[in-house]
């Protein structure tokens, strides 16, 4: 007796593997877009927390701005003239027609913030500050 596999068995297995890969690929792609959306929301919330920390520590006014046209978020020290900027991925859109700016005061107080983000698959997140704790949070919208 000979041991091994035949060409037909190999072709059947390869066809099954190809079909499974074709079925799984779209769901993996949607998962990646959701991860990018969530990461952008968390990074925006983190930028707000950093602005508050720096404002209190340096006793400076800080500003977080979000530009929907360029998909940029910037953190500015309004008294020290330092700026740090990062880009929101191109697959994530800011839900606003005009640029937004949020001021953080040297005592840790800040203006209310609410920014909506949406990915290409239609999932939407909102990054907002709690009115009592002033802590930014990220939540998914229906």
């Amino acid at each position: 007796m000979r041991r091994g596999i035949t060409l037909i068995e190999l072709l059947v297995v390869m066809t099954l593997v190809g079909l499974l890969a074709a079925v799984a690929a779209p769901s993996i792609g949607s998962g990646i877009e959701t991860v990018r959306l969530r990461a952008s929301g968390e990074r925006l919330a983190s930028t707000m927390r950093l602005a508050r920390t720096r404002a209190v520590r340096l006793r400076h006014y800080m500003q977080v701005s979000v530009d929907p046209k360029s998909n940029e978020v910037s953190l500015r020290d309004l008294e020290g003239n330092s700026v740090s900027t990062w880009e929101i991925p191109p697959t994530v859109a800011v839900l606003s027609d005009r640029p937004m700016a949020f001021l953080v005061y040297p005592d840790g107080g800040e203006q209310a913030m609410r920014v909506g983000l949406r990915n290409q698959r239609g999932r939407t997140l909102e990054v907002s500050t709690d009115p009592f704790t002033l802590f930014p949070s990220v939540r998914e919208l229906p």
Side-chain angles (χ1 to χ4, degrees), residues 9-25:
E9 290 171 332
L10 181 63
L11 288 174
V12 168
V13 169
M14 293 302 289
T15 302
L16 289 174
V17 168
L19 286 173
L20 288 174
V23 169

Side-chain angles (χ1 to χ4, degrees), residues 27-43 89 91-92 119 121 123 125 140:
S27 65
I28 291 171
S30 109
I32 290 171
E33 290 305 315
T34 301
V35 167
R36 282 188 184 137
L37 175 66
R38 189 80 185 160
S40 297
E42 292 294 341
R43 188 164 182 194
T91 57
V92 176
N119 69 5
R121 298 199 177 263
R123 293 187 81 145
L125 289 181
E140 190 164 340

Side-chain angles (χ1 to χ4, degrees), residues 27 33 35 37 50 57 61 67 70 72 84 97 101-102 112 115 131:
S27 65
E33 290 305 315
V35 167
L37 175 66
L50 178 61
R57 189 186 59 181
Y61 286 92
D67 186 356
S70 66
E72 284 188 347
S84 61
D97 296 336
F102 308 100
V115 178

Side-chain angles (χ1 to χ4, degrees), residues 48 52 110-114 126-138:
M48 287 301 294
R52 186 171 184 212
E110 59 189 62
Q111 294 176 325
M113 178 194 76
R114 185 164 298 201
E126 180 183 75
V127 181
S128 60
T129 52
D130 182 274
F132 298 110
T133 64
L134 301 178
F135 194 76
S137 63
V138 180

